[in-house]
Amino acid sequence: MEVVDGPFVTRRQELGAASARSLLLTVLGEFVLPSGRPVWTASLLELLADLDVAEKAARQAIMRTADSGWIEASRIGRETRWSLTAAGTRLLREGTERIYGFAADDRAWDGRWLVLSVGVPENNRAVRQRLRTQLGWAGLGSLDAGTWVTPRVDREQEARRVLDELGLLAGSWSFVATAGVVGNERSLARTAWDLDGIERGYEDFLELVGRRRPRTDRQALVAQVRLVQEWRRFPLLDPGLPRELLPPRWSGSRAAEVFRERHATWAPRAQQAWVQLTADR
């Protein structure tokens, strides 16, 4: 994440800041992936400059993305064009589906929970951290070090894959059940996930996006990249709980509406600016 001047970093500054490589991936996923056409280095550098990324950092981001095997170069004279590799296409397609699927996800809940009991040695901090990261990405929340839950029971196979990869299948169990008469399910959700922190993130997102009024096509292009960049963190943070488990007037619902509305409004102008930017130079 980029360093913000001064000794303090507010949540809004953290939300608005992004690494050069992360912004590059957002640009590739939003514009290069749908068209399938290569893009000139100069075009990427120009757009990243509009996104406040210095040229040196932008060039490093391009090379690191290439080193990861996600883009590949082709030279035409003294100029270089970049195309997505098969691995890069797969990565960005999965990410795009997650981002836009998350914004539209409003499935009904049948009241069942997936409960996972995992045995992890107390002294194996590395495995515990990987477990927390990977089960969190799968949408599970922890009640304690060894108990994980989600109201999305279809995540069971994904959870099993995580346990298998970490060598934790032996000594672990999964259960699918409904709640009994003891306890409150909303309280359980607050224990398993930091819903207050997630909601603050949504409120910051709404404040940031609400201030943006792009006047030109080029400004719409920059605003579109920023919009997707800021939204893409929420599928990592928000488990996508059914409305029955969420606090009243959940900010995430409004944020999803604003994301969809702004994206649809800015997309035609942003696409026009992208076409102009990436035309044969």
Side-chain angles (χ1 to χ4, degrees):
M1 188 170 289
E2 296 170 343
V3 176
V4 179
D5 292 337
F8 302 106
V9 180
T10 66
R11 290 197 311 276
R12 279 184 289 278
Q13 286 172 323
E14 287 178 340
L15 188 60
S19 72
R21 190 177 185 189
S22 180
L23 281 167
L24 173 61
L25 289 175
T26 297
V27 170
L28 295 174
E30 190 71 7
F31 298 102
V32 178
L33 178 66
S35 71
R37 297 179 58 189
V39 58
W40 298 103
T41 300
S43 298
L44 293 174
L45 294 178
E46 189 174 336
L47 179 52
L48 289 171
D50 285 353
L51 292 160
D52 301 321
V53 177
E55 181 176 340
K56 180 180 179 180
R59 289 187 180 277
Q60 289 176 341
I62 293 170
M63 296 313 300
R64 288 172 181 169
T65 304
D67 290 343
S68 297
W70 298 337
I71 57 176
E72 57 188 0
S74 60
R75 293 192 65 84
I76 300 179
R78 299 176 60 185
E79 304 296 324
T80 302
R81 297 193 307 180
W82 297 94
S83 302
L84 294 175
T85 63
T89 298
R90 187 164 54 251
L91 171 82
L92 293 175
R93 184 170 292 127
E94 290 173 356
T96 298
E97 290 172 355
R98 183 117 187 184
I99 290 169
Y100 295 109
F102 178 77
D105 192 1
D106 191 23
R107 292 172 293 170
W109 182 45
D110 62 6
R112 295 186 299 163
W113 290 85
L114 171 65
V115 182
L116 204 63
S117 176
V118 185
V120 185
E122 287 289 338
N123 59 352
N124 199 332
R125 295 183 61 185
V127 171
R128 296 177 74 87
Q129 182 58 44
R130 289 179 62 192
L131 178 70
R132 177 171 293 276
T133 299
Q134 293 184 37
L135 287 184
W137 170 249
L140 279 76
S142 60
L143 298 178
D144 54 46
T147 308
W148 296 79
V149 296
T150 175
R152 303 302 189 192
V153 298
D154 59 342
R155 306 284 170 84
E156 186 171 20
Q157 288 304 313
E158 187 173 357
R160 187 187 191 284
R161 179 185 55 77
V162 170
L163 296 179
D164 190 22
E165 289 178 355
L166 297 179
L168 297 174
L169 275 179
S172 297
W173 293 267
S174 63
F175 307 86
V176 175
T178 55
V181 297
V182 178
N184 177 277
E185 289 175 286
R186 281 192 172 179
S187 296
L188 184 149
R190 283 196 171 277
T191 299
W193 294 279
D194 180 14
L195 297 183
D196 290 338
I198 295 169
E199 189 154 40
R200 285 193 297 270
Y202 279 128
E203 290 166 357
D204 291 340
F205 171 83
L206 288 167
E207 184 174 341
L208 271 174
V209 172
R211 295 201 303 263
R212 291 183 182 145
R213 295 290 186 272
R215 294 184 298 275
T216 67
D217 289 352
R218 188 61 168 262
Q219 289 175 351
L221 173 60
V222 172
Q224 187 85 322
V225 175
R226 288 287 190 197
L227 177 73
V228 176
Q229 177 69 25
E230 288 152 9
W231 181 257
R232 63 184 283 186
R233 73 185 58 219
F234 290 112
L236 295 171
L237 300 174
D238 187 342
L241 299 178
R243 65 185 64 185
E244 294 92 332
L245 300 174
L246 292 170
R249 297 179 297 278
W250 175 245
S251 297
S253 301
R254 173 61 181 153
E257 291 176 5
V258 168
F259 172 77
R260 292 192 295 267
E261 186 273 329
R262 293 290 194 277
H263 192 277
T265 299
W266 294 341
R269 297 165 63 197
Q271 184 61 39
Q272 179 63 32
W274 173 257
V275 169
Q276 293 175 353
L277 176 67
T278 57
D280 289 344
R281 306 175 78 91

